[in-house]
Amino acid sequence: MILILLGFSFTTVKAQECDCKTDVAFLAERYKKDYSGFQDFKISHPDYKKQFQSFIDRSTTINDVIKCHEVIGELIAYLDNGHVAFGVLEENPKFEELYEDDDKDYYPSLVFPDSGTALLTIKTGNLDYKIDLDTLIENNKSKLDITEHLIIDLRGNSGGGDDTYSNVIPFLYTNPIITNGTFLWTSENNISLLSNMLTIRICRKKQDNKSGKW
């Protein structure tokens, strides 16, 4: 899986311009170097080099944020794998036009409608929310263990990292629990990304230990 969050590179914010070629070339290069499925992509898209270059060439003369947004959107549509996320930074002078922030609450929740039922809502598989889901389950484990019915609401959940829901699996069925590992391309960027994620998790767990949550 590759998750790329792009922010436009502004040459001059006041003029509402961007360095579109740099952004488009960045996305194409990151996809080639960091996406584990790229080897298969090359087979199914034998003309990918020509297509990538055509997007870069188109972006060369573009310095308008909106038009650049359209080209990047077309490139992502060409990649067509569901693993590339496109976002814009608040520093973008046209942020309000390009991105509608609905302040959606992605935190998991757990309620017990009655003594025999638990309703667990998981709104996203984003790894950023794993620690919240793990903490929620850990804090209610004793009660979940004796609850007869567990309902898991995944409506609107578009997926994410497999590890996010790893602590939910034991509540779905009993031993043996067999899981298949996830394959990642061992690029320099992916190694750095996972190392940073691990560091953040360790720090957050230490903080929870100090606060008595674990």
Side-chain angles (χ1 to χ4, degrees):
M1 181 186 74
I2 181 173
L3 177 63
I4 302 178
L5 180 63
L6 294 177
F8 291 109
S9 305
F10 298 107
T11 54
T12 166
V13 174
K14 292 184 178 180
Q16 296 188 351
E17 296 181 350
C18 68
D19 184 356
C20 190
K21 181 180 179 180
T22 297
D23 290 330
V24 173
F26 170 82
L27 173 57
E29 188 67 13
R30 291 280 66 78
Y31 189 79
K32 288 190 292 184
K33 288 186 175 181
D34 298 333
Y35 183 54
S36 59
F38 184 64
Q39 306 309 312
D40 293 329
F41 181 85
K42 290 192 296 184
I43 296 174
S44 60
H45 298 76
D47 63 339
Y48 78 91
K49 290 183 179 179
K50 179 180 179 181
Q51 294 297 330
F52 278 12
Q53 191 58 50
S54 69
F55 285 109
I56 295 174
D57 291 342
R58 283 176 54 194
S59 65
T60 301
T61 58
I62 297 177
N63 58 13
D64 178 77
V65 173
I66 299 297
K67 291 181 179 179
C68 188
H69 172 86
E70 293 172 354
V71 174
I72 292 176
E74 290 178 23
L75 174 54
I76 291 176
Y78 171 68
L79 300 179
D80 189 29
N81 59 42
H83 290 153
V84 180
F86 177 42
V88 290
L89 303 179
E90 293 188 25
E91 288 78 5
N92 186 329
K94 294 194 175 183
F95 176 78
E96 296 298 331
E97 293 182 41
L98 297 175
Y99 182 71
E100 181 181 352
D101 185 5
D102 58 3
D103 293 324
K104 185 175 181 179
D105 177 12
Y106 286 105
Y107 289 97
S109 63
L110 177 64
V111 296
F112 295 86
D114 55 58
S115 60
T117 306
L119 173 60
L120 175 63
T121 301
I122 306 176
K123 301 178 181 180
T124 180
N126 190 318
L127 288 168
D128 289 342
Y129 293 88
K130 173 178 172 55
I131 188 69
D132 301 290
L133 180 58
D134 288 350
T135 302
L136 185 66
I137 291 175
E138 182 67 22
N139 290 343
N140 292 277
K141 185 178 183 303
S142 58
K143 191 172 182 179
L144 285 170
D145 285 339
I146 61 174
T147 301
E148 184 177 4
H149 304 294
L150 172 61
I151 301 173
I152 301 178
D153 184 356
L154 298 175
R155 289 175 297 175
N157 189 321
S158 60
D162 294 347
D163 194 38
T164 301
Y165 59 84
S166 60
N167 285 339
V168 178
I169 294 178
F171 292 97
L172 303 183
Y173 64 99
T174 55
N175 293 330
I177 296 176
I178 301 174
T179 59
N180 295 315
T182 302
F183 294 95
L184 292 175
W185 197 253
T186 52
S187 67
E188 182 178 345
N189 285 322
N190 285 338
I191 292 173
S192 176
L193 172 65
L194 293 177
S195 295
N196 290 337
M197 289 175 59
L198 180 60
T199 299
I200 292 173
R201 286 189 194 177
I202 292 174
C203 290
R204 292 188 66 176
K205 188 168 184 178
K206 287 181 177 179
Q207 291 175 350
D208 287 338
N209 282 333
K210 290 180 179 180
S211 62
K213 292 183 179 180
W214 290 79

